[in-house]
Amino acid sequence: MPQYALVIDLNTCVGCHACATNCKEWNTQAAFGPLSDFDPYGKEPTGVWYNRIFTYETGEFPDVQVFHLPKSCLHCQDAPCVPVCPTGASYKREQDGIVLVNYDDCIGCKLCAWSCPYGCREYDEADKVMKKCTLCIDRIYDETLPPEQRKPACVLTCPAKARFFGDIEDPNSEVYKAIKERNGFVLFPDMGTNPANHYLPRTETKVNLEEFEKHLLRPDNPLFLEVVKRHHVSHKAEEVS
Amino acid sequence: MHPPISLIFFFLTAGTSIGSFILMYFLELLSLLGRGGGLPDEVIYKLVVFQIVLIGLGAFGASFHLGHKLRAWKAVKRFRTSWLSREAVFSALYGFGLILYLLAKVLGLGPVLEHLFGVSTFILGILSGFSTAMIYASNRFVLEWSTSITVIYYLLMYLMLGSSLMAYASHLYKLPYLGTFLFLTFLFVALGLGFRIAFNVRQFYIKRPTLNEALNLPHNRPIRVLDTGSTTDNFCTTEFYYKKGKEMLSTVLPVAYFLTFVVPLFLVVYSWLTGVVNYWTLGITFLSLLFGSALERWCFFVEGNHVQNLFYGLYPEEGYRLRKGYMERKETRISLY
């Protein structure tokens, strides 16, 4: 069965919040909007966001690393928020695995938010219903859009190209390959929720020195003579030894 | 967790209604089996009307927890999977059962229908309380709640409220069951105290997840939250973490213990030993239990720590962290700050 999901590359995510702001911009005016804001220009602005970016630091000084974690609904394959909903407003679509909320049936009891270990559902105080990431379902099936635009707003806007979208059950999809080849992982694997959204771990950046040396030995390199000289000196030293 | 006042109100009203009906109807069942003389009809009428008013008030009060009150009827749709749906169905049926039982009594429809409605309402009352307790106990992401102690204690509190009210009613209507209800009040309050202490002690021994587990990182990697995406609170930080409540918990919890357990136990034992039973002792016992239970429910919510707080660095800390080349065990720091 298809399972649409996001795959987020923590190696390239720069924590710019562009995905969160574009998500808010698209969804506040689209089919699942608005995402209400309260006191937006005041001292205590609050509101509904489908996507939030967390920043963590690992390691101990001086060996520390900072990484950013964009977190939206993970569209769990065993979503714990779905069976607890008393009205059936919260449901998981069979055709693509997307978890949605039917606003016309939601009574705003908040029990689904209590049953989400990721804190990915937010209550809209203005509309009195629970809201969450829809994977931009109103974009991905919109045939009036060109095919390359039929992706979630956060994926399209990411300037670092750290977000991928697709069917994680399809072996030919970009996201399937990314998860397999780069050891994609999920949040809270012990909670038995089987999240669909995956994250690609940070990896050590490597520089290909061979390519670098070739570039140095090109005749148009201003340091060409110096490199040759060093090369010559090092070889001479080897011969002497 | 942020304590919803409407749910505490529902607990008090539904608990008093269901607890007193269970004990009241139990006397009727015993009389059916030839034990005891049951209750006079006038007393049953008054008590059942009171119980109907209470469950009605409770349902009305609980609707304030909902965003859309007028859609509350839709809550029957997921009876098969949702404990909240089951609670709604059983509570509503319990209310209707009370009305039918009262009608059967008033209209004299005969003992068969009377006890048919009575037994049904008796079972529905227990199922309603059980379903409400299971809403909390089945939530595996609030580890403090996710235990059978929650359910047993919840039902005991219903019985505590019911038995103390029935003791007052016995004295008011000069019924011969005063001693029985005093004993039952003592029994339920003492058992309740034991389970509440167990609930509190258990919190110190829960194996809590860490931020490393949440982020799927190795356990020995030190990690800390730098930023949570916004400068102000949001739904997740206000609903799942009640900062003011956490600060007040160390004051409120002893008061809740005192009013829920110490005062009623003292008054019941005092009544037993001295034989002094009057409206004051019985009334204060019930009111103390009522206010104490409200505070206890408030503490129950504030004591609950949702695992999503890990992402915000608001969860009690536990686990390992790397310090100066070796791993040291971090002690659990929990609620009684």
Side-chain angles (χ1 to χ4, degrees):
Chain A
M1 260 194 351
Q3 172 63 64
Y4 283 6
L6 295 171
V7 173
I8 300 163
D9 187 352
L10 299 186
N11 208 37
T12 47
C13 176
V14 291
C16 64
H17 291 239
C19 52
T21 47
N22 204 34
C23 165
K24 177 97 171 173
E25 188 196 0
W26 171 260
N27 284 296
T28 204
Q29 63 185 338
F32 287 84
L35 305 186
S36 309
D37 280 323
F38 300 93
D39 193 20
Y41 303 106
K43 282 184 179 176
E44 295 284 325
T46 56
V48 181
W49 292 74
Y50 287 170
N51 188 11
R52 290 183 185 272
I53 320 304
F54 295 76
T55 304
Y56 299 103
E57 182 188 72
T58 62
E60 281 214 332
F61 180 83
D63 303 317
V64 291
Q65 281 193 348
V66 172
F67 69 94
H68 310 282
L69 183 91
K71 184 164 68 68
S72 55
C73 173
L74 305 171
H75 298 279
C76 303
Q77 303 195 48
D78 298 313
C81 54
V82 171
V84 299
C85 176
T87 65
S90 204
Y91 64 102
K92 187 169 176 71
R93 286 160 54 99
E94 283 188 7
Q95 59 267 48
D96 49 23
I98 298 176
V99 178
L100 289 179
V101 179
N102 179 353
Y103 295 165
D104 292 335
D105 277 350
C106 180
I107 56 174
C109 67
K110 302 174 191 165
L111 192 59
C112 54
W114 288 15
S115 300
C116 173
Y118 306 102
C120 289
R121 287 174 165 253
E122 300 205 5
Y123 183 69
D124 191 327
E125 288 288 350
D127 287 352
K128 307 286 184 194
V129 292
M130 194 56 74
K131 294 187 174 175
K132 62 176 282 300
C133 164
T134 63
L135 272 183
C136 288
I137 196 166
D138 47 352
R139 284 193 70 93
I140 61 178
Y141 289 113
D142 187 353
E143 293 184 356
T144 61
L145 292 172
E148 67 276 11
Q149 292 278 311
R150 292 178 204 164
K151 288 179 180 174
C154 56
V155 175
L156 290 172
T157 199
C158 180
K161 302 292 175 210
R163 300 174 78 94
F164 306 94
F165 167 73
D167 179 6
I168 60 163
E169 299 290 342
D170 176 10
N172 297 317
S173 71
E174 183 187 20
V175 287
Y176 182 92
K177 288 173 186 163
I179 293 167
K180 289 290 172 201
E181 289 167 8
R182 294 190 50 198
N183 296 328
F185 68 92
V186 295
L187 300 182
F188 253 143
D190 300 337
M191 287 293 162
T193 55
N194 204 0
N197 281 12
H198 281 66
Y199 292 86
L200 303 180
R202 287 175 67 86
T203 52
E204 199 176 320
T205 307
K206 288 177 181 168
V207 179
N208 189 341
L209 288 174
E210 282 182 15
E211 287 295 317
F212 188 64
E213 280 176 4
K214 275 182 200 167
H215 174 73
L216 280 176
L217 290 172
R218 278 169 57 182
D220 55 343
N221 181 2
L223 298 174
F224 178 72
L225 284 176
E226 194 176 332
V227 174
V228 171
K229 193 179 166 188
R230 282 190 187 178
H231 191 71
H232 176 71
V233 169
S234 62
H235 271 268
K236 205 172 181 182
E238 279 177 13
E239 283 172 11
V240 170
S241 63
Chain B
M1 303 291 283
H2 199 287
I5 302 302
S6 49
L7 295 189
I8 295 175
F9 179 74
F10 175 76
F11 163 77
L12 295 175
T13 49
T16 311
S17 171
I18 293 171
S20 58
F21 180 80
I22 286 173
L23 294 169
M24 183 196 84
Y25 187 71
F26 196 64
L27 286 180
E28 290 293 290
L29 270 183
L30 285 178
S31 73
L32 192 68
L33 300 170
R35 304 269 177 182
L39 292 167
D41 281 351
E42 306 81 59
V43 176
I44 290 180
Y45 297 159
K46 286 173 186 169
L47 282 174
V48 173
V49 167
F50 186 57
Q51 287 151 1
I52 291 170
V53 170
L54 279 179
I55 195 72
L57 279 175
F60 180 72
S63 72
F64 282 90
H65 180 62
L66 304 178
H68 288 279
K69 298 169 190 59
L70 295 178
R71 295 181 192 167
W73 65 271
K74 292 188 178 182
V76 302
K77 286 162 77 176
R78 279 283 183 92
F79 182 83
R80 205 167 54 83
T81 60
S82 170
W83 282 108
L84 180 57
S85 180
R86 289 169 195 162
E87 181 213 23
V89 170
F90 287 137
S91 301
L93 289 178
Y94 166 76
F96 283 117
L98 279 179
I99 293 170
L100 291 176
Y101 179 68
L102 182 66
L103 286 177
K105 273 276 182 195
V106 172
L107 301 176
L109 299 180
V112 176
L113 276 179
E114 190 183 297
H115 284 288
L116 179 69
F117 294 140
V119 169
S120 309
T121 313
F122 180 85
I123 294 168
L124 286 168
I126 294 170
L127 287 176
S128 166
F130 182 76
S131 304
T132 314
M134 280 304 290
I135 293 172
Y136 306 112
S138 66
N139 190 335
R140 62 184 195 271
F141 307 121
V142 184
L143 298 177
E144 288 81 1
W145 298 355
S146 184
T147 165
S148 50
I149 296 173
T150 304
V151 180
I152 298 167
Y153 177 67
Y154 200 88
L155 293 175
L156 276 173
M157 289 195 84
Y158 273 24
L159 293 172
M160 282 154 60
L161 288 166
S163 60
S164 59
L165 181 71
M166 287 303 291
Y168 186 84
S170 298
H171 186 66
L172 185 67
Y173 298 115
K174 308 284 184 277
L175 303 174
Y177 305 111
L178 183 59
T180 310
F181 284 121
L182 275 179
F183 169 73
L184 287 177
T185 306
F186 175 81
L187 180 71
F188 295 139
V189 173
L191 282 174
L193 175 62
F195 278 98
R196 190 61 169 88
I197 290 171
F199 180 79
N200 272 112
V201 170
R202 181 180 167 274
Q203 291 179 29
F204 290 91
Y205 297 98
I206 297 173
K207 188 189 175 299
R208 291 167 190 279
T210 60
L211 181 56
N212 297 53
E213 283 171 37
L215 299 178
N216 207 345
L217 291 172
H219 283 261
N220 60 354
R221 188 174 296 179
I223 185 161
R224 68 189 183 96
V225 182
L226 288 188
D227 186 58
T228 56
S230 61
T231 51
T232 54
D233 282 336
N234 59 51
F235 170 74
C236 291
T237 55
T238 52
E239 177 74 8
F240 300 119
Y241 186 77
Y242 185 35
K243 190 177 178 213
K244 201 174 172 186
K246 290 281 185 195
E247 289 164 4
M248 291 163 64
L249 187 63
S250 55
T251 312
V252 178
L253 190 62
V255 177
Y257 262 94
F258 183 75
L259 289 178
T260 317
F261 304 111
V262 179
V263 174
L265 280 177
F266 172 78
L267 287 174
V268 169
V269 172
Y270 173 78
S271 302
W272 254 350
L273 294 179
T274 61
V276 178
V277 180
N278 55 38
Y279 293 119
W280 282 106
T281 54
L282 295 172
I284 291 172
T285 303
F286 176 68
L287 288 177
S288 179
L289 264 172
L290 199 68
F291 286 113
S293 303
L295 290 179
E296 190 280 331
R297 282 295 95 184
W298 185 90
C299 295
F300 174 81
F301 280 102
V302 176
E303 282 170 310
N305 292 293
H306 199 286
V307 294
Q308 78 90 35
N309 288 346
L310 280 165
F311 294 102
Y312 291 89
L314 298 172
Y315 198 72
E317 291 179 4
E318 196 194 28
Y320 298 93
R321 75 176 166 175
L322 195 66
R323 178 168 290 281
K324 291 175 185 169
Y326 63 91
M327 279 188 288
E328 71 174 19
R329 178 85 176 154
K330 271 168 63 175
E331 292 299 319
T332 307
R333 281 193 275 134
I334 66 159
S335 334
L336 301 175
Y337 327 119

